[in-house]
């Protein structure tokens, strides 16, 4: 499931992203966006079932293999941006995350998620039932996380496998941390990163918030990945996109920021205001991106608006979401 849900879809659309550590770490979030889009379309067409999910993943797998082979043929002598330091950091982050993986792999969804929110909504999506929000006082939530869980259930074939699905969520944690590490391009920055990582995530225990599988942690991963890709378009980051099209990086960044706003309302201020301003400045200073490409910034601005009118009315009455935002 880690391969077919979190890796294959992203590679099928953005195969060159494997050439750079930062863009490679964003692949799981892109894959999540793709499978959730597929879930929505299949449900809309009343075709969301195990067989169609397998067919969809199978097609993406063939596309991914074909495109990877194309990269190997054309760029067999192409130097990627991976270094020994990146591999070592990835291994260290992976091994330090094993306790979190164990927690996720041996504990089902929490009681509140099972009865009141994410997993309940995922089951309703799985059974093609309308999602209602009685348990949240009629305050609606974006449903990207339940849609992901429902897609995983359909991929497996039933709703009895909570543990393996929760285990796969550990890749959200791994990818987010590794994206942050990708900015450590000197020995001093690497030292600062790991010191901060040990203190904040391992000793204080902030990292183990991920064991709750809340939408907040997935939203944060989307925001971090989107911002990292956007920064990669700045003129000081030419080494990132020397083999990857800047347009691909920008489109991926836009997809991820839209995904953030469809995961939790707290991201909407970033999506509608801060991200478009940052992107506009960076695109304006990037000679490889033409002015018409700025139109893509309409997507993050309009996504929360569409969600509001489609099913998000009255979300502002949710005091908890407003305060956390």
């Amino acid at each position: 499931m880690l391969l077919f849900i979190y890796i294959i879809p992203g590679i099928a659309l953005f195969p060159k992203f494997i050439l750079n550590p930062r863009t490679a770490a964003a692949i799981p979030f892109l894959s999540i966006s793709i499978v959730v889009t597929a879930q929505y379309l299949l449900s809309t067409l009343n075709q969301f079932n195990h067989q169609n999910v397998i067919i969809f993943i199978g097609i993406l797998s063939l596309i991914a293999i074909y495109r990877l082979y194309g990269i190997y043929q054309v760029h067999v002598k192409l130097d990627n941006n991976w270094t020994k330091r990146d591999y070592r950091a990835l291994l260290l982050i992976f091994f330090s995350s094993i306790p979190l993986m164990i927690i996720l792999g041996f504990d089902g969804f929490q009681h509140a998620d099972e009865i009141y929110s994410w997993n309940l909504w995922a089951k309703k999506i799985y059974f093609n039932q309308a999602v209602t929000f009685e348990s949240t006082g009629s305050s609606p939530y974006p449903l990207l996380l339940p849609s992901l869980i429902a897609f995983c259930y359909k991929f497996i074939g039933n709703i009895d496998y909570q543990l393996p699905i929760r285990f796969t969520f550990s890749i959200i944690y791994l990818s987010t941390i590794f994206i942050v590490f990708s900015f450590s391009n000197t020995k001093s920055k690497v030292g600062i990163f790991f010191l901060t990582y040990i203190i904040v995530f391992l000793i204080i225990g902030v990292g183990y918030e991920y064991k709750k599988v809340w939408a907040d942690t997935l939203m944060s991963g989307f925001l971090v990945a989107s911002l990292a890709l956007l920064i990669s378009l700045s003129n000081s980051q030419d080494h990132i996109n020397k083999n990857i099209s800047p347009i691909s990086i920008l489109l991926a960044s836009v997809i991820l920021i839209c995904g953030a706003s469809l995961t939790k309302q707290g991201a909407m201020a970033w999506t509608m205001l801060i991200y478009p301003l940052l992107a506009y400045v960076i695109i304006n200073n990037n000679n490889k991106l033409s002015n018409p490409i700025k139109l893509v910034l309409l997507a993050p601005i309009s996504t929360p608006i569409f969600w509001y009118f489609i099913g998000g009315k009255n979300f502002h009455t949710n005091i908890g979401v407003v305060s956390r935002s």
Side-chain angles (χ1 to χ4, degrees):
M1 194 157 55
L2 280 169
L3 176 64
F4 290 106
I5 302 295
Y6 294 93
I7 304 299
I8 292 287
I11 290 179
L13 265 67
F14 301 96
K16 289 186 179 180
F17 276 28
I18 63 172
L19 297 174
N20 182 274
R22 187 179 306 169
T23 53
I27 285 175
F29 296 108
L30 290 167
S31 296
I32 291 171
S33 302
I34 293 166
V35 299
V36 167
T37 301
Q39 179 280 313
Y40 179 79
L41 292 175
L42 289 172
S43 292
T44 302
L45 298 172
N46 200 27
Q47 298 296 319
F48 185 47
N49 55 57
H50 174 66
Q51 180 180 354
N52 287 338
V53 165
I54 295 298
I55 292 173
F56 173 74
I57 293 297
I59 292 172
L60 286 183
S61 299
L62 293 175
I63 294 173
I65 293 171
Y66 174 77
R67 300 197 72 185
L68 286 175
Y69 180 71
I71 290 175
Y72 174 77
Q73 270 195 321
V74 177
H75 302 291
V76 66
K77 296 182 180 180
L78 183 66
D79 292 330
N80 62 49
N81 291 333
W82 287 84
T83 65
K84 290 182 179 179
R85 182 171 57 196
D86 296 320
Y87 292 117
R88 290 169 183 166
L90 185 58
L91 286 175
L92 285 171
I93 294 170
F94 174 81
F95 284 113
S96 66
S97 305
I98 289 177
L100 174 63
M101 296 178 187
I102 293 173
I103 293 172
L104 288 170
F106 284 91
D107 188 19
F109 287 101
Q110 292 188 352
H111 184 71
D113 292 328
E114 179 68 26
I115 297 177
Y116 295 113
S117 58
W118 314 117
N119 197 42
L120 171 68
W121 300 335
K123 289 179 178 179
K124 285 183 176 291
I125 294 172
Y126 177 88
F127 290 112
N128 295 312
Q129 299 173 353
V131 176
T132 55
F133 298 95
E134 296 93 345
S135 59
T136 60
S138 298
S139 297
Y141 281 84
L143 295 174
L144 189 144
L145 176 57
S147 295
L148 171 62
I149 299 171
F151 191 93
C152 291
Y153 280 144
K154 285 291 186 184
F155 178 76
I156 295 175
N158 60 63
I159 60 173
D160 295 332
Y161 294 97
Q162 289 189 16
L163 300 184
I165 290 174
R166 274 178 55 87
F167 172 78
T168 62
F169 289 149
S170 58
I171 199 171
I172 296 171
Y173 175 82
L174 291 170
S175 295
T176 303
I177 301 303
F178 192 61
I179 287 171
V180 176
F181 167 80
S182 70
F183 289 92
S184 304
N185 52 8
T186 64
K187 289 185 178 179
S188 60
K189 289 181 180 179
V190 170
I192 293 171
F193 166 81
F194 276 108
L195 180 63
T196 306
Y197 173 61
I198 291 170
I199 294 174
V200 175
F201 281 84
L202 302 182
I203 295 178
I204 298 177
V206 172
Y208 292 98
E209 286 291 313
Y210 285 77
K211 73 180 186 293
K212 299 176 182 177
V213 195
W214 280 347
D216 305 67
T217 49
L218 179 56
M219 175 195 74
S220 300
F222 273 121
L223 289 173
V224 169
S226 176
L227 182 59
L229 292 180
L230 185 61
I231 293 174
S232 299
L233 293 172
S234 62
N235 292 327
S236 63
Q237 303 283 311
D238 279 340
H239 66 286
I240 300 294
N241 53 50
K242 66 178 182 180
N243 298 321
I244 305 173
S245 166
I247 295 177
S248 295
I249 295 177
L250 178 60
L251 290 177
S253 180
V254 168
I255 289 171
L256 295 180
I257 194 66
C258 292
S261 66
L262 295 175
T263 304
K264 198 69 181 289
Q265 300 96 317
M268 290 182 180
W270 270 93
T271 307
M272 299 183 70
L273 299 174
I274 303 173
Y275 178 87
L277 290 173
L278 287 172
Y280 183 86
V281 172
I282 291 176
I283 293 172
N284 222 28
N285 293 323
N286 190 319
N287 296 327
K288 297 179 181 179
L289 293 171
S290 58
N291 283 330
I293 199 67
K294 294 175 183 176
L295 293 174
V296 77
L297 298 182
L298 293 175
I301 296 172
S302 59
T303 296
I305 297 173
F306 284 141
W307 173 77
Y308 181 82
F309 287 106
I310 290 173
K313 289 183 179 179
N314 300 320
F315 85 89
H316 55 278
T317 61
N318 191 321
I319 297 175
V321 169
V322 172
S323 62
R324 289 179 69 88
S325 299

